């Protein structure tokens, strides 16, 4: 892991981006991906193609490697020891026991038929009729003289192998997934229900899945025209030994089968060098060859007993399972490291989100507290300003109150007023004094004796005073409300006893 991190750190920024793209597509080991990208001149398309299709050997690189690995010339008189001979022979046998398994993408057998326009069809109708008559005549001539077609083939050097394969089975070409579904359906119709789990997609998809998940790909190819096909399927494929072994998840076997009547299976048989039916091939990733190699590790041809067939598969699986387990453990460790890093990043993001949320709540609380303090301060300032305006208005109004009539005024109104503090004030008012002046006298009574009320106070700007009391006569009860106006003589008469009652506002929520 440390070496891989060191290699990645030594790459340039563009090379690291190319490596990330390659790992996202192939999900392979970075330590194996870097050499492959270097061999591909850091071209991600070429590297991905080599990963899935297998890396084709470069003749120039092989010649250079062979020249570099060539041993020094042996001196005359030196004899080859047994160890060297045994080692070289073993290595050659080991390399020759595995064949590269290519990735086959099925190609269409024929292109879609071109439908000529109607006018062109009518114009070429005479030539088409003449061609049919001529081909029919030649066919009849070849039937009467059968040696002529063989003679023409010898003259033109045409052989059956040089011709392209045409679809002579009458089977409709389908895409790989539909072809697999048709094979499974026909297999069940012919041999009944079974326990085999065929891969329901094309060979290329099964190849890619086996390479990605490090599984064994077991390819079964059959030919319905072969005499041993029916016996092979009923005695080998449908046997309990085979189905139990293949379906065991610990063996990591992916089963793909096809009939050579289909184009895809035929192309696979050609690529795997199938020369005899029934045919079975076991393919897996061989990390000892290269980081992207897929090789054929076992081939089974012809009719074999189920025990022998399963024994060959088991031997090949056991021989290659150790190398795959090492790769699996490496990938699991890398995946665990990635998961741990993702969990750490997720935990960090959650913690960061919680911190941000706490900071947001704290800012909102501080803003709310600041706003409330500003509102309270504004209200206090407004109340203080109101108190100052009321005091200023009292001083101003006290300067403009009418004087008390003297003893020589006989028609003055004499009033006894009980203030809100319980104090009783007796004073005379001229009968033409307005009721508003009487209310102002009661309001300004507490500042009438102050020196400040005798100075030139001004009326507060934009202030309208509101009296918070009513003058009431107790016996009989009468309220001298200011809103009805009038003078003291008109509303009260020659004398009266008045009580100052505060106006209480009723908060009725109903």
């Amino acid at each position: 892991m440390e070496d891989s991190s060191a290699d990645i750190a030594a790459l340039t920024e563009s090379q690291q981006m190319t490596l990330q793209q390659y790992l996202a597509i192939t999900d392979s080991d970075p330590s194996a991906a870097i050499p492959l990208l270097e061999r591909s001149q850091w071209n991600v398309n070429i590297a991905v193609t080599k990963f899935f299709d297998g890396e084709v050997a470069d003749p120039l690189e092989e010649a250079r490697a062979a020249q570099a690995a060539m041993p020094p010339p042996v001196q005359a008189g030196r004899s080859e020891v047994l160890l060297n001979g045994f080692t070289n022979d073993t290595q050659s046998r080991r390399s020759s026991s595995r064949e590269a398994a290519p990735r086959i993408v099925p190609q269409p057998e024929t292109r879609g038929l071109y439908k000529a326009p109607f006018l062109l069809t009518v114009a070429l109708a005479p030539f088409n009729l003449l061609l049919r008559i001529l081909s029919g005549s030649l066919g009849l001539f070849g039937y009467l003289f059968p040696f002529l077609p063989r003679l023409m083939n010898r003259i033109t050097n045409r052989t059956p192998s040089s011709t392209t394969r045409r679809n002579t089975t009458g089977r409709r070409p389908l895409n790989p997934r539909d072809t697999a579904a048709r094979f499974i359906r026909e297999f069940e119709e012919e041999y009944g229900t079974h326990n085999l789990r065929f891969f329901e997609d094309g060979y290329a998809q099964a190849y890619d899945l086996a390479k990605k998940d490090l599984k064994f790909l077991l390819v079964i190819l059959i030919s319905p025209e072969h005499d041993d096909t029916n016996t092979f399927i009923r005695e080998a494929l449908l046997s309990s030994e085979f189905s139990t072994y293949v379906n065991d998840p610990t063996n990591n076997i992916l089963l793909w089968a096809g009939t050579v009547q289909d184009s895809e299976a035929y192309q696979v048989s050609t690529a795997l060098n199938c020369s005899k039916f029934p045919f079975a091939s076991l393919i897996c990733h061989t990390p000892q060859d290269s980081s992207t190699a897929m090789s054929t590790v076992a081939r089974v041809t012809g009719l074999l007993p189920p025990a022998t067939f399963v024994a060959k598969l088991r031997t090949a699986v056991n021989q290659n399972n150790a190398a795959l387990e090492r790769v699996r453990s490496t990938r699991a460790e890398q995946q665990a490291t990635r998961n741990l890093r993702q969990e750490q990043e997720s935990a960090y993001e959650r913690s960061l989100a919680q911190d941000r949320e706490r900071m947001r709540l704290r800012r909102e609380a501080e803003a709310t507290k600041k706003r409330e303090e500003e509102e309270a301060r504004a209200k206090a300032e407004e109340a203080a300003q109101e108190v100052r305006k009321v005091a200023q208005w009292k001083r101003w109004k006290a300067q403009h109150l009418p004087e008390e009539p003297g003893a020589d005024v006989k028609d003055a109104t004499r009033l006894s007023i009980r203030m809100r503090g319980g104090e009783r004030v007796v004073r005379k008012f001229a009968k033409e004094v307005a009721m508003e002046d009487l209310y102002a006298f009661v309001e300004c009574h507490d500042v009438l004796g102050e020196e400040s009320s005798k100075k030139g106070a001004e009326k507060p700007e934009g202030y309208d005073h509101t009296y918070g009391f009513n003058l009431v006569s107790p016996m009989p009860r009468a309220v001298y409300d200011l809103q009805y106006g009038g003078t003291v003589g008109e509303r009260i008469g020659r004398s009266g006893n008045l009580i100052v009652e505060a106006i209480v506002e009723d908060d009725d929520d109903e």
Side-chain angles (χ1 to χ4, degrees):
M1 297 295 293
E2 296 180 357
D3 296 341
S4 177
S5 301
D7 294 341
I8 295 176
L11 300 178
T12 62
E13 183 178 357
S14 60
Q15 292 176 348
Q16 291 182 2
M17 293 179 61
T18 304
L19 177 61
Q20 293 297 330
Q21 295 178 2
Y22 177 80
L23 295 179
I25 298 173
T26 62
D27 192 18
S28 61
D29 186 4
S31 60
I34 293 176
L36 180 59
L37 287 171
E38 290 178 350
R39 293 193 298 271
S40 303
Q41 301 299 323
W42 292 97
N43 188 318
V44 68
N45 296 326
I46 297 176
V48 170
T49 303
K50 289 183 179 180
F51 179 81
F52 287 108
D53 295 344
E55 190 172 359
V56 180
D58 188 354
L60 181 58
E61 293 295 335
E62 287 186 352
R64 292 177 178 175
Q67 184 177 2
M70 184 178 297
V74 182
Q75 298 178 359
R78 178 184 175 184
S79 59
E80 182 181 6
V81 297
L82 180 60
L83 180 60
N84 293 335
F86 177 76
T87 304
N88 295 336
D89 184 64
T90 303
Q91 184 177 2
S92 63
R93 287 198 305 268
R94 183 177 300 175
S95 61
S96 62
S97 62
R98 289 190 301 267
E99 296 180 0
R103 180 178 182 268
I104 304 302
V105 178
Q107 302 296 331
E109 294 182 351
T110 57
R111 297 182 179 178
L113 297 178
Y114 172 73
K115 186 176 181 180
F118 178 74
L119 296 178
L120 183 60
T121 304
V122 174
L124 297 179
F127 299 97
N128 189 18
L129 180 60
L130 180 61
L131 179 61
R132 290 186 178 183
I133 294 174
L134 182 59
S135 62
S137 302
L138 293 177
L140 179 61
F141 191 73
Y143 177 76
L144 296 177
F145 304 97
F147 62 91
L148 290 178
R150 293 192 294 270
L151 181 60
M152 293 298 296
N153 289 335
R154 290 182 180 179
I155 295 174
T156 57
N157 292 325
R158 292 182 59 188
T159 59
S161 59
S162 63
T163 60
T164 59
R165 179 179 182 267
R166 295 184 301 173
N167 186 0
T168 59
T169 60
R171 295 170 66 88
R172 180 183 177 184
L174 301 175
N175 58 60
R177 179 180 292 273
D178 294 338
T179 301
R182 179 173 62 183
F183 171 80
I184 295 174
R185 183 181 65 254
E186 293 176 351
F187 190 89
E188 292 178 352
E189 291 175 356
E190 180 68 22
Y191 302 102
T193 58
H194 54 84
N195 297 326
L196 298 178
R197 302 170 186 172
F198 292 111
F199 185 73
E200 298 181 0
D201 211 332
Y203 169 81
Q205 289 72 26
Y207 184 96
D208 296 341
L209 182 61
K211 188 172 186 177
K212 179 181 178 182
D213 295 345
L214 298 177
K215 293 186 176 182
F216 293 92
L217 175 60
L218 179 57
V219 178
I220 304 294
L221 298 175
I222 60 175
S223 175
E225 299 177 355
H226 199 278
D227 296 336
D228 296 335
T229 299
N230 190 24
T231 305
F232 171 75
I233 293 176
R234 295 187 181 278
E235 295 183 0
L237 292 187
L238 298 181
S239 63
S240 59
E241 298 179 12
F242 179 79
S243 60
T244 301
Y245 182 75
V246 172
N247 294 334
D248 188 358
T250 59
N251 295 326
N252 295 314
I253 295 179
L254 195 65
L255 180 61
W256 184 88
T259 172
V260 292
Q261 290 180 337
D262 295 325
S263 174
E264 182 182 21
Y266 178 81
Q267 296 177 36
V268 171
S269 65
T270 303
L272 297 180
N273 298 324
C274 175
S275 59
K276 184 178 180 181
F277 294 99
F279 176 82
S281 177
L282 188 65
I283 301 172
C284 71
H285 173 52
T286 51
Q288 58 271 32
D289 294 340
S290 69
S291 60
T292 61
M294 290 287 286
S295 305
T296 302
V297 296
R299 296 166 59 93
V300 181
T301 58
L303 185 61
L304 293 178
T308 306
F309 186 26
V310 174
K312 287 190 174 183
L313 296 179
R314 182 181 290 107
T315 301
V317 169
N318 294 336
Q319 290 177 351
N320 295 272
N321 198 27
L324 294 180
E325 283 297 334
R326 289 192 295 270
V327 179
R328 292 191 189 102
S329 62
T330 303
R331 290 188 180 180
E333 183 179 356
Q334 294 173 355
Q335 185 63 34
T337 304
R338 285 193 292 267
N339 294 339
L340 179 60
R341 184 169 60 253
Q342 292 176 358
E343 292 176 359
Q344 292 175 349
E345 292 177 354
S346 299
Y348 173 76
E349 291 294 336
R350 290 193 299 268
S351 177
L352 183 60
Q354 293 175 359
D355 294 340
R356 290 175 178 173
E357 182 66 16
R358 284 195 293 267
M359 291 297 296
R360 185 185 65 82
L361 295 177
R362 183 182 302 174
R363 288 194 298 269
E364 290 181 355
E366 293 177 354
T368 302
K369 182 179 179 180
K370 183 177 180 181
R371 184 173 60 254
E372 292 176 352
E373 291 177 352
E374 291 178 353
E375 291 177 356
R377 186 166 51 254
K379 290 181 180 179
E381 182 66 22
E382 184 179 356
Q385 183 70 15
E386 184 71 15
V387 171
R388 289 192 295 269
K389 289 183 177 181
V390 170
Q392 183 179 355
W393 180 87
K394 285 182 179 181
R395 290 191 299 270
W396 169 77
K397 191 65 177 177
Q399 298 174 4
H400 298 82
L401 290 176
E403 298 292 337
E404 184 178 4
D408 56 341
V409 179
K410 302 299 182 179
D411 56 351
T413 301
R414 184 176 181 274
L415 297 176
S416 176
I417 305 172
R418 185 178 180 180
M419 298 298 179
R420 282 176 288 189
E423 179 185 2
R424 183 172 293 277
V425 177
V426 179
R427 190 182 187 280
K428 292 181 180 180
F429 293 89
K431 64 179 182 179
E432 65 271 9
V433 173
M435 289 295 294
E436 200 275 336
D437 291 334
L438 177 59
Y439 269 80
F441 170 78
V442 175
E443 186 73 56
C444 300
H445 181 265
D446 55 343
V447 297
L448 289 177
E450 298 179 357
E451 293 294 333
S452 60
S453 62
K454 300 178 181 180
K455 299 179 180 180
E458 296 180 357
K459 181 180 180 181
E461 296 182 1
Y463 176 76
D464 294 330
H465 187 73
T466 302
Y467 297 96
F469 60 90
N470 285 326
L471 296 177
V472 181
S473 176
M475 295 296 293
R477 179 177 176 79
V479 178
Y480 300 103
D481 198 341
L482 184 60
Q483 64 180 350
Y484 296 110
T487 62
V488 172
E490 295 173 352
R491 298 285 301 275
I492 301 176
R494 295 292 301 273
S495 64
N497 293 325
L498 300 178
I499 299 174
V500 179
E501 287 186 354
I503 298 176
V504 179
E505 296 181 356
D506 296 334
D507 295 334
D508 191 1
D509 297 334
E510 298 180 358

